[in-house]
Amino acid sequence: MSDSSSTSNSSETTVVHVMRHGEVHNPDGVLYGRRAGYHLSELGRQMADRVAEHLEGRDITHVVASPLERAQETASPIAKILGLSLDTDDRLIEAANVFEGKTFGVGDGALRRPENWKYLTNPFRPSWGEPYIDQVVRMMGALNTARDAARGHEAVCVSHQLPIWIVRSFVERRRLWHDPRRRQCTLASLTSFTYQGDKIVSVSYTEPARDLVPAHLLAGAKPVKGGAKAFGA
């Protein structure tokens, strides 16, 4: 009986879609990180609604999000349109960063400030925030929990750019340290992990709300000097 169950499980296909939240209202351009009080902008809400419409009709049985407001607000219309409850998983939270609450972006002089140098000694760990390997561990745990909750169906996890990119890089066997400007994880995008049984067999990426995303925030776009400072959001 246990052999039969094992064979059945190994042939089950489950898809876990990991979504980055929509645009955030951030007029001061700070790296908001894990701070409370940062909500979706009106455009961000449009992005969330667009993805909800995109996912309607799919075989999704589980929706879960990071505890931060922007992730909860992005996941809510998805859960609503599918008639599901919205769960919270703390492991989907944004990466910790010592520059949280500060402006830290292209052209703002942050790298030239002596008080910041002590945090910039090791880009491979990285020295300014939560270690990449720690992000891998918690994100893989969250993905596997979502997989188990949606066995044979699909799940949606709403998280944040850096943790999503790091766990994708791990699964695709790329180095974890990277140039933030090269992350393929646009606002409201879906990075989808397909499991065969317990094993991830493929990863795909889609941007259902691409036409709503400002051009300079699309994956691979050239950074705007003095703008889009909260790139780690």
Side-chain angles (χ1 to χ4, degrees):
M1 181 173 179
S2 66
D3 289 346
S4 172
S5 173
S6 175
T7 302
S8 174
N9 287 341
S10 68
S11 65
E12 266 182 341
T13 298
T14 308
V15 180
V16 178
H17 305 282
V18 187
M19 180 183 177
R20 183 183 173 193
H21 60 78
E23 185 190 62
V24 174
H25 179 65
N26 181 22
D28 296 327
V30 302
L31 184 67
Y32 35 79
R34 294 180 173 181
R35 290 194 163 200
Y38 285 88
H39 299 268
L40 293 183
S41 64
E42 182 54 39
L43 179 60
R45 294 182 184 280
Q46 292 177 34
M47 292 176 182
D49 289 341
R50 172 70 63 79
V51 178
E53 292 167 5
H54 172 79
L55 294 173
E56 185 178 17
R58 295 193 66 102
D59 187 23
I60 294 169
T61 60
H62 181 65
V63 181
V64 60
S66 153
L68 297 174
E69 292 100 331
R70 57 192 185 272
Q72 293 281 318
E73 291 166 1
T74 298
S76 290
I78 297 172
K80 182 177 180 180
I81 204 168
L82 295 170
L84 299 172
S85 61
L86 172 57
D87 290 346
T88 299
D89 190 328
D90 290 346
R91 293 172 295 183
L92 295 171
I93 200 168
E94 174 63 292
N97 192 310
V98 297
F99 297 113
E100 184 178 297
K102 302 177 182 178
T103 58
F104 191 88
V106 177
D108 68 358
L111 296 179
R112 295 193 297 273
R113 297 172 194 157
E115 65 270 25
N116 290 337
W117 294 348
K118 62 184 176 182
Y119 300 119
L120 304 173
T121 57
N122 185 357
F124 307 106
R125 185 178 183 266
S127 52
W128 55 82
E130 181 183 10
Y132 292 137
I133 193 61
D134 290 358
Q135 295 178 54
V136 169
V137 171
R138 65 175 172 85
M139 288 294 289
M140 285 300 301
L143 266 61
N144 290 342
T145 296
R147 173 206 64 201
D148 291 343
R151 286 275 183 185
H153 306 279
E154 300 180 33
V156 176
C157 301
V158 180
S159 186
H160 308 267
Q161 186 193 60
L162 179 55
I164 297 171
W165 180 247
I166 289 299
V167 75
R168 177 181 172 183
S169 296
F170 174 79
V171 169
E172 295 183 331
R173 299 186 177 182
R174 288 194 302 275
R175 67 190 187 199
L176 301 184
W177 59 274
H178 61 284
D179 182 341
R181 297 168 296 182
R182 297 186 179 276
R183 296 173 190 158
Q184 188 184 42
C185 190
T186 296
L187 290 165
S189 61
L190 295 169
T191 301
S192 302
F193 299 82
T194 298
Y195 288 81
Q196 202 70 43
D198 291 344
K199 182 180 179 182
I200 296 174
V201 295
S202 67
V203 181
S204 61
Y205 175 80
T206 54
E207 297 176 351
R210 182 181 177 86
D211 61 305
L212 297 177
V213 180
H216 70 282
L217 294 179
L218 289 168
K222 185 177 180 180
V224 177
K225 184 175 181 178
K229 294 173 181 172
F231 59 79

